[in-house]
Amino acid sequence: MLSPWHHGPFEEVRKVVARSIDNLLFYNTDSPLSVPMEVSVVLVGLDGDGAYRVDLEAEQVQYLVHHGFSYHRPACWETKREMLVQHELSYNVVKASEENVVSLEKALRSNLRAVPGLAAAGSNTTYTVEATSIEPALDLIYTELFERGAEGERGEGGEGAGEHEGQPHKAIAIFLLNLDKTRMDPSRPAPSGPLTSALSEEQLEAQEGGYSYAYSYNGAGHAQTWLSHGRYVVIDLSAGPITFGHLDEAEGAVVPGTIPRVRSMFLTDEPTLSSSSSSAAATAHLPARPQSKDYFSGALADVVSSAVEHLFSPDVRFLNVDVSHRVLVAVIVLSNHRLFNPLAPGHAHSVNLHHLEAQITGMLAPGQEVVLVSGWHSLHDHERLAMAVEKAIRHQSVVLTHADGSTSHGTRSFLDAPYLLHQFHESADMLASALLEAAHPALSASLFLEDPSAAVDAADEAASDEEEDSVVRTSPPPSSKAPPRRTILPVKRSWDAHVGLKERTKSKERRAVDAELAREHGTRVLPVFVLSLAGIEGQLTMADEGGQGAGQQVYAAPDAVLVLQTAENSTIRTRFVSAGQPVFSSPQHLQRPLTAGIAAALGGLVAPYEDLKVHRQRCMRRDWVWAVGHHPFGPVSNTSSLSALLQDTIRMNAVYSRIDITLRSLHRCIQAIEDFSNTYLFAALGNEVHHPTHSDAHHNSTIGAKAVLKALESLYSDPSRSSLPIPHSVVDRLTHSLKEAEDHLQKLSSHLYEHELADAHHLSRSLLHFTHGFHHYVEEELSHAHEAMRCCRIEHRFPSRTAGALLYGSILLAGFAVYFLVIFFSASEH
């Protein structure tokens, strides 16, 4: 029977979110915003109806996964620090029905294809399964579980009813498959009978079926885990064992023990896949042991947590706070040959620009539009760019592995992509430097200005001491097809224009955010340079700084993308090995690397097998378990499109980037208020100047949680103070603005939990603009307060003498005199 699935309402996690918002705003500036995330785990064949008739308790799996991986905080590769967003994870573990098990086994049985010359240890035959042929059966289970289940909940008038009544909840799921290989064996007749029939000892040993199988996606890869085209990932416990890894990197390799084997719960010998095998030593361990089952469940929970970390809660490559109206993607092919033109249709190496434009459209935010332009240029006509390419070629000593297994020392060539991009930017060639300048945030700030102070800071060195400056703003695009009109607007010079160079240097990060935010109603330019090279010795690839990641075909930066195409090499032998065989790549095809590079630059997308470990010296870690699937990244990918899950990740990356910048801006505001309060509102020993009894309205406000804001509230509620460093109206506005930000953050977390990404986009965009204006309002008011107190100075000293103090002192001295006289004359000798 199909286990019921229930999507919990946001009210169940509202208190956790409210507590995190209160903590990050008013107590601890390093505390992140809690964003609840619900992950569904579907057990297929683990209800006594699959291989080895294993029956896992859903409650036990849910307990292990939740207590082992209950939260995750993504990191940003651009800033090398954790983001101020933390996913509070909750898990729904459900079991699929027997009908679903039968449908999946039939789909696998009909799609097993024998691979000659490739057999796992102990197996007679090795099969490969095309994962795209299994996706329709999995899609039916996904629809039956989540979409129809969500419709049933809304039909009952639950929390799902309302504004989004016609939209089912977009659940993210992990399918754990444990299918019976003896029932799927294509060399045997189709089995009949109940799925839950008990197995004898001989049948238990023969459960491996004498064969092994693995998945490929679009003909590429050899794995037992893969990412689907939808919002789920598949982990097949019956497939494998699999070996895959990089020859130069020990970490992240896939070995037979990476994915737990169900056989280990019953047999302690090495897996023997032959159906005719019989061993007394193996049958001695046939009785199930509870500790073995617990160990298997724990290992399974670890794989689930890895999937959540890499696929559902991944890192962000670049902070994306772009709010431009349109995105201009310029694909520029720089070629040193005339063998073929990649932009010309009709040959094997052509780029399908219509398909590329459709993929870019799926990466954009709601309301954005894309303009895709392309052009072919000869490197011989651009000598500066040709010189830059030649200077960027590096050579590295490596150990080469040959087909017979022998090794030898040699060298490999690669393009230093960051250096090449820097040379393009600094070159005198207008084809490259002009596009890169247009994509640079500094020029975007001057053309598409949203904040006046950003332009004032950018032009401060060349500006005079005039009272007004002229900046360029792009007006909102009209409804017609005409291009937007640019108008000159006068802008008053703010207080930041009067501060020294030292203060402006400290606010460099803030001005960078201003420049990114300044693209409102403008056009973001993303140049994509395709280097189509011929006549290059060796097998040329691309790498990051210091040769890291050599073997790539694409490099993405926040403002540009580089793609390499070698015209004379149809295949290149990579440094990867899969199932004991080398992995080859095709450097002549551009569709997949173009999609990967643009997704990384525009959407901040990270490859599913990569993550950044901030607490481990900020090093990047790769887990090749997730290298196969519906994505354009990596050496075993053969897909030039993005899955629905990755498209949602791009939209969430933009929201998370705005949340991160919003919270850091609010923290700077609170820090500025705190610095001002420490200077003017506190006594020498740190006590508040005045602390009257708060009114009920102020006492119930969450703003009073911070000592600095308590001091402001004290001054605001003190009727005896007529003149203050900060006026009453300003303090009142600060209080209400922070409370409004608190409400917006809570609502934004609710949209993300319900997967309402369009609403989350608009709210995060409004919140970013609100915080941006609030930040400058705080700076202006504090600068006015500092300006008003320039004529004063703070001095701590003893209180001056007064008539009352002299009177009380005289009475005290007279009392001491009378006391001593009484003591003296009352003595016996006197």
Side-chain angles (χ1 to χ4, degrees), residues 257-326:
T258 302
I259 305 298
R261 308 290 297 179
V262 179
R263 180 183 177 87
S264 64
M265 298 174 58
F266 302 94
L267 305 176
T268 58
D269 62 331
E270 292 297 325
T272 304
L273 303 180
S274 176
S275 59
S276 61
S277 64
S278 176
S279 175
T283 57
H285 297 82
L286 282 179
R289 296 175 297 172
Q291 61 271 22
S292 176
K293 188 174 183 180
D294 294 340
Y295 179 84
F296 174 80
S297 301
L300 199 61
D302 184 68
V303 177
V304 171
S305 63
S306 177
V308 174
E309 180 181 2
H310 288 85
L311 301 174
F312 300 149
S313 179
D315 294 336
V316 178
R317 187 180 295 269
F318 307 118
L319 288 178
N320 179 19
V321 291
D322 177 43
V323 290
S324 60
H325 176 70
R326 66 180 60 86

Side-chain angles (χ1 to χ4, degrees), residues 498-537:
H498 296 283
V499 299
L501 179 61
K502 183 178 180 180
E503 295 297 327
R504 293 196 303 273
T505 304
K506 291 182 179 180
S507 61
K508 179 180 179 181
E509 182 181 358
R510 178 186 61 81
R511 293 202 309 273
V513 175
D514 294 342
E516 291 291 340
L517 185 61
R519 291 172 173 163
E520 178 74 22
H521 302 305
T523 299
R524 177 180 179 180
V525 180
L526 180 66
V528 180
F529 298 101
V530 178
L531 302 177
S532 183
L533 305 179
I536 304 297
E537 296 183 1

Side-chain angles (χ1 to χ4, degrees), residues 10 16 147-148 183 275 298 321 329 413 417 432 438 551 558 561 667 710:
F10 182 73
V16 178
E147 295 184 2
R148 294 179 184 174
R183 296 196 297 250
S275 59
V321 291
V329 179
S413 303
V561 176
H667 293 165
K710 275 186 178 181

Side-chain angles (χ1 to χ4, degrees), residues 523-814:
T523 299
R524 177 180 179 180
V525 180
L526 180 66
V528 180
F529 298 101
V530 178
L531 302 177
S532 183
L533 305 179
I536 304 297
E537 296 183 1
Q539 297 181 341
L540 187 66
T541 58
M542 195 174 292
D544 299 341
E545 293 88 352
Q548 297 295 326
Q552 301 177 0
Q553 196 180 350
V554 60
Y555 172 78
D559 53 358
V561 176
L562 290 176
V563 180
L564 176 64
Q565 180 190 49
T566 54
E568 295 177 338
N569 295 328
S570 58
T571 58
I572 289 181
R573 181 172 180 172
T574 66
R575 303 289 294 172
F576 292 90
V577 175
S578 176
Q581 302 296 324
V583 177
F584 294 88
S585 66
S586 179
Q588 293 182 343
H589 298 118
L590 295 174
Q591 199 73 37
R592 184 179 58 84
L594 281 174
T595 304
I598 295 175
L602 279 184
L605 199 61
V606 176
Y609 48 82
E610 294 179 335
D611 65 334
L612 181 67
K613 296 299 180 183
V614 178
H615 300 294
R616 294 175 53 184
Q617 299 179 352
R618 298 177 179 178
C619 63
M620 185 180 65
R621 187 175 68 92
R622 294 181 175 91
D623 191 353
W624 299 109
V625 173
W626 316 111
V628 177
H630 196 105
H631 61 81
F633 300 95
V636 290
S637 171
N638 193 28
T639 305
S640 59
S641 58
L642 299 176
S643 64
L645 179 63
L646 295 183
Q647 292 180 359
D648 293 343
T649 301
I650 289 178
R651 297 183 180 96
M652 288 190 294
N653 285 348
V655 176
Y656 293 157
S657 300
R658 297 187 187 103
I659 292 176
D660 185 78
I661 293 176
T662 294
L663 295 181
R664 297 187 189 278
S665 180
L666 288 175
H667 293 165
R668 286 192 291 269
C669 293
I670 295 177
Q671 184 63 41
I673 298 174
E674 185 174 0
D675 295 340
F676 182 85
S677 302
N678 291 334
T679 305
Y680 298 107
L681 303 181
F682 288 86
L685 298 180
N687 300 321
E688 297 178 16
V689 177
H690 188 66
H691 197 339
T693 302
H694 298 290
S695 62
D696 294 337
H698 289 281
H699 181 71
N700 294 331
S701 175
T702 57
I703 305 299
K706 192 148 179 85
V708 174
L709 297 177
K710 275 186 178 181
L712 294 178
E713 286 187 77
S714 301
L715 294 176
Y716 176 62
S717 58
D718 187 3
S720 62
R721 295 179 178 269
S722 58
S723 60
L724 295 173
I726 301 179
H728 290 167
S729 59
V730 175
V731 178
D732 186 51
R733 180 172 177 180
L734 292 177
T735 302
H736 286 83
S737 296
L738 288 176
K739 181 61 178 176
E740 185 179 355
E742 183 180 7
D743 296 337
H744 286 339
L745 288 172
Q746 188 171 359
K747 190 175 181 180
L748 182 57
S749 182
S750 173
H751 287 319
L752 291 173
Y753 176 70
E754 299 295 345
H755 216 85
E756 300 164 359
L757 299 183
D759 295 337
H761 164 76
H762 295 298
L763 184 57
S764 64
R765 182 171 172 176
S766 301
L767 184 60
L768 181 63
H769 283 281
F770 164 78
T771 309
H772 190 72
F774 175 71
H775 188 187
H776 286 282
Y777 175 76
V778 171
E779 287 185 338
E780 290 292 335
E781 293 299 333
L782 291 181
S783 66
H784 292 329
H786 281 291
E787 185 73 20
M789 289 193 166
R790 281 190 174 185
C791 60
C792 308
R793 67 175 183 176
I794 300 176
E795 181 178 344
H796 301 281
R797 60 183 181 181
F798 292 103
S800 58
R801 297 179 180 179
T802 60
L806 292 176
L807 177 60
Y808 295 139
S810 302
I811 294 175
L812 182 62
L813 291 177

Side-chain angles (χ1 to χ4, degrees), residues 817-830:
V818 171
Y819 173 75
F820 282 111
L821 287 175
V822 171
I823 295 298
F824 178 77
F825 288 105
S826 63
S828 58
E829 60 271 16
H830 296 289

